[in-house]
Amino acid sequence: MQIVVRAAADHEVEAAAAVLAEAFAEDPVLAEIRPGRPGEDRTAVLGRLFSALVRSVPPHARALDVAVTGDRVVGAAFWQAPLPHRGGLGAFVSQVPELVRVLGIAGGLRALAHLRRMERARPDAPHWYLAEIGVSAAARGQGVGGLLLEHALDRVDQRGQHAYLESSTPDNRRLYRRHGFGDGAPITGFRAAAPVSMWRPAVA
């Protein structure tokens, strides 16, 4: 299977979100924010959530990379650009109705508290932030996650910039360490295992 990693086209946002939803369907931190409900298609629900999250960041302030085989998206990585380009009130507000539909009011409040905890842990130095990365079940174990990281970090290194992420599992942290990230402090306040902050300094 030949895998190509490239920037996502706008029409591929939903396909990328579906891959992220599949990858995060059992994620314990996400389960705190949006617990599963009887009879629902959780992957479809989370797909709408990830699509809204990507679209809440203006295109100039994000990088959405996809791994594709043929015309099928099998991996996705969503990065937010360094300040001052992160954010964008208009884009965020346009996605609020969909976020509320997916999360509900209580879930939205839990998400806000979660984001505040994560935001407080982020370094002050400008950096690319890996918000989400995931690989479809059919493509796992084939190095897709590493290819997505290499693609993005080449871009980061060409610009002489830092990178940052949080990781909830030891397996993922081993992958990130192989790509130059170092362990930081655990981020407390979660019932599930605390995510660990990870920092990759700019390449000199």
Side-chain angles (χ1 to χ4, degrees):
M1 178 174 66
Q2 183 180 12
I3 298 168
V4 176
V5 177
R6 55 170 173 74
D10 189 63
H11 72 270
E12 293 175 311
V13 169
E14 277 66 35
V19 168
L20 293 173
E22 182 182 350
F24 281 86
E26 305 299 327
D27 181 73
V29 174
L30 188 53
E32 288 184 25
I33 296 170
R34 175 50 166 84
R37 297 172 185 170
E40 75 175 2
D41 182 342
R42 183 157 177 79
T43 301
V45 169
L46 295 182
R48 296 200 303 273
L49 173 62
F50 283 117
S51 177
L53 289 174
V54 169
R55 294 190 184 282
S56 73
V57 179
H60 70 272
R62 71 180 188 231
L64 179 64
D65 299 322
V66 289
V68 299
T69 176
D71 59 357
R72 184 164 58 97
V73 175
V74 296
F78 170 41
W79 295 80
Q80 294 177 15
L83 288 170
H85 303 297
R86 211 168 60 230
L89 183 60
F92 177 78
V93 168
S94 71
Q95 298 303 317
V96 166
E98 181 65 9
L99 291 170
V100 171
R101 275 194 293 272
V102 174
L103 297 174
I105 298 299
L109 292 173
R110 287 192 296 270
L112 183 60
H114 160 83
L115 291 172
R116 284 175 173 168
R117 283 193 293 269
M118 304 295 259
E119 189 72 23
R120 285 196 295 268
R122 288 174 64 172
D124 291 332
H127 58 271
W128 282 90
Y129 171 55
L130 179 57
E132 316 289 351
I133 185 171
V135 178
S136 68
R140 286 175 200 158
Q142 300 179 47
V144 176
L147 291 173
L148 284 164
L149 284 173
E150 289 169 9
H151 179 83
L153 293 174
D154 282 347
R155 180 174 59 230
V156 170
D157 291 345
Q158 288 171 13
R159 300 175 182 182
Q161 295 171 318
H162 308 297
Y164 173 79
L165 57 84
E166 306 100 4
S167 176
S168 301
T169 70
D171 284 347
N172 287 345
R173 287 195 286 278
R174 283 191 286 272
L175 171 64
Y176 298 136
R177 289 186 199 111
R178 290 199 297 271
H179 287 83
F181 288 87
D183 288 9
I187 302 170
T188 59
F190 298 92
R191 292 195 299 271
V196 173
S197 61
M198 303 191 75
W199 177 252
R200 185 180 186 274
V203 175

